[in-house]
Amino acid sequence: YFFMEVARLKSVTAAARSIHLSQPAITQAVANVELYFNTTLLNRISSGVTLTDAGLLCQERIARAFSQFQEGVSELLKSAPAATRAKLIRSLTTAQIDALLALVEHRNFSAAARARSVSQPTIYRTARDLERLLNIPLFERTSYGVVPTRDAERFARRAKLAVAEIAQAQAEISSMIAGESGRTVVG
């Protein structure tokens, strides 16, 4: 989200004001995104910032990922005001999305934790934090393990698409940098 605000406003300072965070916090967040993609996404100039070619590509893919999250949250919280839904999307963490996807896939806190190389209490706490954030039940315990609710299944589908957009951005940027070829997935 922070990268998208900087790209939209063409200024770290303006993004910091818009998001109500400090300029160093925004700078660090953007640096983490650049570290994740292993390339420079912004050209810093005296009048603000411009996007590099990789930054333009990343901006497009991240916008698509956010669109998936927006659709997912809108499906979950149909009656919530748009501002509330937007705030929830900005509050989602990678850990929460990863816990949701692991639990939907493995249907068991222990198996999900092993698959993600985290402790079972960590995945449990993260999943419950996501439920509290959204204020809806996402998982039910049964004698067979953890059963995702229909809402969790729908949201997980959107989250998978969003994660796929980010993965595709990473592949495209790697290809752009190294001149390698990758694979395209349709569906």
Side-chain angles (χ1 to χ4, degrees), residues 114-130:
R114 277 192 304 277
R116 297 305 196 258
S117 300
V118 298
S119 70
Q120 188 269 336
T122 298
I123 206 151
Y124 180 85
R125 183 178 52 252
T126 306
R128 296 302 181 199
D129 287 346
L130 179 59

Side-chain angles (χ1 to χ4, degrees), residues 160-171:
K160 276 185 182 180
L161 291 171
V163 169
E165 286 290 348
I166 301 302
Q168 188 63 33
Q170 192 172 37

Side-chain angles (χ1 to χ4, degrees), residues 99-179:
L100 169 72
L101 295 177
L103 285 165
V104 166
E105 179 182 349
H106 297 284
R107 299 181 180 277
N108 177 290
F109 282 101
S110 297
R114 277 192 304 277
R116 297 305 196 258
S117 300
V118 298
S119 70
Q120 188 269 336
T122 298
I123 206 151
Y124 180 85
R125 183 178 52 252
T126 306
R128 296 302 181 199
D129 287 346
L130 179 59
E131 283 183 316
R132 278 190 292 280
L133 176 68
L134 297 171
N135 198 29
I136 59 168
L138 296 173
F139 308 101
E140 299 170 338
R141 277 192 182 268
T142 69
S143 58
Y144 300 106
V146 177
V147 179
T149 63
R150 286 186 180 158
D151 287 335
E153 294 277 359
R154 278 194 301 270
F155 190 55
R157 276 192 295 279
R158 293 288 186 176
K160 276 185 182 180
L161 291 171
V163 169
E165 286 290 348
I166 301 302
Q168 188 63 33
Q170 192 172 37
E172 289 174 357
I173 289 171
S174 292
S175 177
M176 181 186 295
I177 293 168

Side-chain angles (χ1 to χ4, degrees), residues 30-96:
V30 170
N32 287 337
V33 172
E34 289 179 323
L35 184 64
Y36 177 81
F37 286 106
N38 197 31
T39 191
T40 302
L41 301 174
L42 302 172
N43 292 316
R44 282 91 172 155
I45 55 177
S46 61
S47 60
V49 298
T50 61
L51 293 170
T52 63
D53 289 341
L56 288 167
L57 190 150
C58 192
Q59 179 187 31
E60 181 180 327
R61 290 288 183 178
I62 290 174
R64 288 182 191 167
F66 269 101
S67 177
Q68 290 298 329
F69 283 123
Q70 287 169 336
E71 291 294 324
V73 169
S74 292
E75 289 170 359
L76 289 176
L77 308 171
K78 293 175 183 83
S79 62
T84 300
R85 292 191 309 255
K87 183 178 179 184
L88 286 173
I89 292 164
R90 289 190 304 269
S91 300
L92 290 172
T93 67
T94 304
Q96 290 169 337

